[in-house]
Amino acid sequence: SLCTAMTLDWNTCASSWGCCADPCAKDRQYEYTLPLASLSMGRRKVLAANWKGSPQTVQEAEELAEAVEQTAKGDVEVVVFPAAVHLVPVGQVLQQAALGAQNAYRSGPVTGENSLDQLKACGVSWVMVGHSDRRRTFEESEFLLHERVVTALAAGFSVIYCIGEALHERKEGRQEAVWEEQLQLLPAVKDWDRFVVAYEPAWAIGTGLVATPRQAQEACRAVRSIVRSMVSEFAADSIRIQYTGSVTAKNCEELVTLPDVDGFVVGSASLKAQEFAEIIRAVAQAP
């Protein structure tokens, strides 16, 4: 089959990320040889702004949403995930970008959750599930997370499903086994346009370590392989896989060229209007 090769200089990778956390960093170059089809398959890039608990006021949230609107481009799917209390005012601003909720659960009398019916009434079309904050701080189980995904998809929402391993799991070499466990819900997915996987190296959160471009590509490629083995070749070629973890305007230009990275979930950088605009432009210009 037709193939292409991708070679990245390790010095460039390490300097752009300001670190060298990869245990194989002594290799100055690395090469990926993949079928041409695997480089994009026409997958539309998807970029998510995860605002978490910021900004503090409605006015600030509206101003930030207006800035996103000025840069959002049709060839990149941009989704804004504000705090729940800002969903309605931000949704009233967004036209080009879509509105997402940082958490959701089936409709019904459940205290403290975001009901899917209520979210739909607010104009929400995307839901994020499985972020490391939910997995680590709130200790949400795989069963609960899978239930959130399946019910959201059944209700017509698009889903960004975050996965990733902890530091001790990576040190033990168990990361792929962890991803497989987290992705056991894959056979339940029927519409690959509405289901996105975001790889989040949880081991890099609060540890001072940062994932390298090599690690990001290897993880996203492994996730695609898991989809292929669990579901089908079509699903593996269709699914969009994001990288999330310290994405900035500085490093995104290199990351978005990685063959199995189809976009990002952006955290703190998405709260800086100018920087997020630069990220949108970089993703829009990527091959």
Side-chain angles (χ1 to χ4, degrees), residues 73-230:
K73 297 180 179 294
D75 45 356
V76 177
E77 194 161 8
V78 179
V79 189
V80 177
F81 289 84
V85 293
H86 292 157
L87 281 170
V88 172
V90 168
Q92 291 172 343
V93 173
L94 299 179
Q95 297 293 328
Q96 299 297 320
L99 181 65
Q102 297 175 19
N103 198 28
Y105 193 57
R106 57 181 170 78
S107 300
V110 182
T111 302
E113 287 287 350
N114 297 325
S115 159
L116 289 170
D117 286 345
Q118 291 174 328
L119 291 174
K120 187 171 291 187
C122 292
V124 172
S125 57
W126 283 78
V127 168
M128 186 177 294
V129 177
H131 190 279
S132 61
D133 291 339
R134 308 301 309 179
R135 292 180 182 273
R136 297 197 316 161
T137 306
F138 295 96
E139 299 181 346
E140 295 192 351
S141 67
E142 294 302 324
F143 180 85
L144 174 58
L145 295 174
H146 292 184
E147 181 184 5
R148 291 187 190 277
V149 170
V150 171
T151 54
L153 289 172
F157 290 86
S158 296
V159 174
I160 292 178
Y161 178 55
C162 303
I163 68 168
E165 75 283 7
L167 180 59
H168 71 276
E169 292 166 334
R170 172 164 282 270
K171 285 184 175 180
E172 296 165 2
R174 295 194 296 111
Q175 58 266 33
E176 291 198 30
V178 171
W179 304 335
E180 288 180 0
E181 179 183 358
Q182 294 169 337
L183 292 169
Q184 288 299 310
L185 55 73
L186 285 173
V189 178
K190 305 303 179 186
D191 186 347
W192 299 102
D193 288 333
R194 294 195 294 113
F195 181 74
V196 176
V197 171
Y199 169 65
E200 181 184 25
W203 52 269
I205 299 173
T207 63
L209 301 174
V210 181
T212 64
R214 179 175 186 168
Q215 289 171 323
Q217 164 58 21
E218 289 177 345
C220 292
R221 181 177 59 180
V223 169
R224 201 174 300 282
S225 295
I226 292 171
V227 176
R228 183 176 292 108
S229 62
M230 282 190 179

Side-chain angles (χ1 to χ4, degrees), residues 207-270:
T207 63
L209 301 174
V210 181
T212 64
R214 179 175 186 168
Q215 289 171 323
Q217 164 58 21
E218 289 177 345
C220 292
R221 181 177 59 180
V223 169
R224 201 174 300 282
S225 295
I226 292 171
V227 176
R228 183 176 292 108
S229 62
M230 282 190 179
V231 187
S232 68
E233 189 77 27
F234 173 80
D237 289 339
S238 301
I239 191 170
R240 292 179 290 176
I241 302 172
Q242 297 174 301
Y243 173 76
T244 173
S246 302
V247 176
T248 66
K250 182 178 179 180
N251 60 37
C252 73
E253 291 184 7
E254 180 178 13
L255 286 167
V256 79
T257 65
L258 299 175
D260 287 295
V261 174
D262 301 309
F264 310 111
V265 176
V266 185
S268 58
S270 69

